[in-house]
Amino acid sequence: MNIFKNTYSGKKVLVTGHTGFKGSWLITWLNLLGAEVCGYSIGIPTSPSLFEDAVLAGSIRHEVGDVRDRAQLHAVMQDFKPDFVFHLAAQAIVSTSYAEPFETFDTNVMGTAGVLDCLRKVDWPCVAVIITSDKAYDNVEWPWGYRETDRLGGKDIYSGSKGAAELVFSSYYHSFFRSINTNVRMATARAGNVIGGGDWAKDRIIADCVRAWQTNDAVQIRSPAATRPWQHVLEPLSGYLALGAQLALDAGLHGESFNFGPKAEQNAKVVELLAALAEVWGFDDPSTSFDVVGNSPFYEASLLKLNVDKALLQLQWEPNLSYSECMSMTGVWYREVVKNSANALTMTKTQIMEYQKIATDRLRSWTV
């Protein structure tokens, strides 16, 4: 298979936030693609942890550091000299942002500025994909998807921090990277409501389900009617990797932003998500798998979805999985690893290969 045109084979790739859920899937995929990976992260964010369960530290250059520590990050970047940088490091939990608002802004805004400032001193060809979030948009809960040109902002701390990170990117791009002679090509990527095996973060619906179901308890949910564009973790990751590969070839993408989201029909209510997962887990009656405990103690949007036409037009990227395939892959990973003691790394690699096979059969652009 000609995955991402073999762009990453033999290349050096720096991933910030590599110990998190998305970061662990990304470095596993990059390893399979033949990349030499360096990860830079402040620590292990959850317990349990996919990064630890899959024993990923031994398969990469594992650096412990804070993206706000410009001196350390600069030293790592200058020593490793990456061909590609994927910036995922962030405080990504909405509930935590209410408990730690200053720390959330500090990490998500100044951390992004730290990465961009280190990239400013790169004197070799390098491609950088800066990951923010769909929460970067000022969400007025309209029924159509947000486009990359729509207003940024946020009514809550987490959304505000992601909108601000996008403004930092724009400022750095126009101040230091806009020249045609720049060594660095960069873009931002926006995605959200990602699910998949190995996510153990607090106040995440899938992780909360598995923690409860392990002990035969019903999971407690706050907003059963909230609608989200659920997507498997490999969907946005395929977008990030496709963006990086195309950005290396096309200077016209430099400084742009791209949305990565599922098909419109994959918008589903929380209660519908739970029913699908409970069935895979093995509940005879999915309605017994959860209890509704009342309103959320903090603000949560009830509707948010993205328009991905730009990614389709300029990258020829499109989502790969159906809703049922997304739910099945997620549920099977937890069922096999948690209930049946399957190896976490083997299961993760197997699902990446399965995803690639589905994409190849469907002639997705990044496979041909």
Side-chain angles (χ1 to χ4, degrees):
M1 290 186 286
N2 186 26
I3 306 300
F4 304 112
K5 299 179 173 60
N6 294 319
T7 295
Y8 299 100
S9 180
K11 298 296 185 180
K12 293 183 175 183
V13 183
L14 173 66
V15 179
T16 72
H18 68 292
T19 58
F21 162 55
K22 287 172 71 175
S24 295
W25 277 89
L26 179 57
I27 63 175
T28 301
W29 200 350
L30 285 167
N31 280 334
L32 289 173
L33 293 173
E36 179 183 347
V37 180
C38 174
Y40 185 92
S41 181
I42 197 170
I44 310 297
T46 63
S47 180
S49 155
L50 176 57
F51 182 78
E52 291 185 321
D53 290 346
V55 197
L56 293 173
S59 65
I60 63 167
R61 174 173 167 178
H62 173 50
E63 295 281 350
V64 178
D66 192 325
V67 286
R68 293 167 295 183
D69 186 340
R70 287 183 299 157
Q72 182 179 355
L73 180 57
H74 173 73
V76 170
M77 198 175 288
Q78 290 291 318
D79 180 65
F80 186 62
K81 289 184 167 50
D83 301 295
F84 294 88
V85 174
F86 291 90
H87 172 49
L88 278 71
Q91 193 300 96
I93 308 300
V94 173
S95 60
T96 299
S97 73
Y98 280 91
E100 301 174 0
F102 181 87
E103 292 80 358
T104 297
F105 272 109
D106 195 20
T107 299
N108 295 350
V109 180
M110 296 311 299
T112 299
V115 172
L116 293 167
D117 208 58
C118 290
L119 286 168
R120 185 165 62 91
K121 299 163 186 175
V122 161
D123 59 3
W124 62 88
C126 182
V127 168
V129 178
I130 308 299
I131 315 304
T132 61
S133 171
D134 60 348
K135 310 302 186 297
Y137 293 106
D138 184 15
N139 185 14
V140 295
E141 302 199 22
W142 54 36
W144 49 86
Y146 290 92
R147 299 165 299 176
E148 289 83 353
T149 53
D150 284 325
R151 187 171 65 185
L152 302 172
K155 298 179 179 66
D156 62 275
I157 295 295
Y158 178 71
S159 299
S161 74
K162 288 300 185 177
E166 287 279 355
L167 296 179
V168 168
F169 171 86
S170 179
S171 296
Y172 264 85
Y173 166 73
H174 286 284
S175 297
F176 304 112
F177 298 103
R178 194 173 183 180
S179 167
I180 60 173
N181 298 317
T182 182
N183 292 306
V184 180
R185 293 180 185 175
M186 56 174 55
T188 68
R190 303 165 183 168
N193 297 296
V194 173
I195 61 175
D199 183 3
W200 294 108
K202 73 171 186 173
D203 294 328
R204 288 260 179 84
I205 184 64
I206 306 297
D208 288 347
C209 286
V210 175
R211 278 190 283 262
W213 296 347
Q214 278 182 277
T215 55
N216 296 316
D217 294 323
V219 64
Q220 296 185 336
I221 60 172
R222 299 182 301 267
S223 306
T227 300
R228 297 287 185 270
W230 308 104
Q231 59 180 329
H232 191 272
V233 62
L234 291 174
E235 298 277 57
L237 291 186
S238 72
Y240 304 163
L241 290 166
L243 174 56
Q246 192 62 27
L247 191 55
L249 299 174
D250 184 359
L253 302 180
H254 181 43
E256 294 291 313
S257 297
F258 289 87
N259 292 335
F260 297 102
K263 299 174 182 177
E265 62 267 24
Q266 289 188 211
N267 284 318
K269 295 179 180 179
V270 168
V271 67
E272 295 169 335
L273 173 97
L274 291 175
L277 289 173
E279 184 176 354
V280 177
W281 185 265
F283 278 89
D284 293 329
D285 181 2
S287 68
T288 66
S289 67
F290 65 91
D291 290 322
V292 179
V293 296
N295 294 328
S296 171
F298 48 82
Y299 171 81
E300 291 182 296
S302 60
L303 176 65
L304 174 62
K305 60 182 178 178
L306 299 179
N307 180 307
V308 298
D309 288 349
K310 183 177 178 181
L312 177 60
L313 178 65
Q314 297 191 26
L315 304 176
Q316 292 75 55
W317 177 90
E318 58 185 306
N320 189 38
L321 301 177
S322 67
Y323 178 74
S324 61
E325 288 169 334
C326 170
M327 294 300 107
S328 176
M329 287 185 73
T330 301
V332 165
W333 193 101
Y334 283 105
R335 185 190 68 200
E336 294 305 307
V337 173
V338 176
K339 290 184 70 175
N340 299 328
S341 302
N343 181 274
L345 179 60
T346 299
M347 179 57 64
T348 303
K349 287 182 175 180
T350 297
Q351 291 200 333
I352 291 172
M353 298 302 291
E354 177 186 353
Y355 182 83
Q356 290 183 163
K357 176 64 165 56
I358 293 171
T360 300
D361 291 344
R362 292 172 181 170
L363 301 177
R364 300 303 185 222
S365 64
W366 50 271
T367 68
V368 295

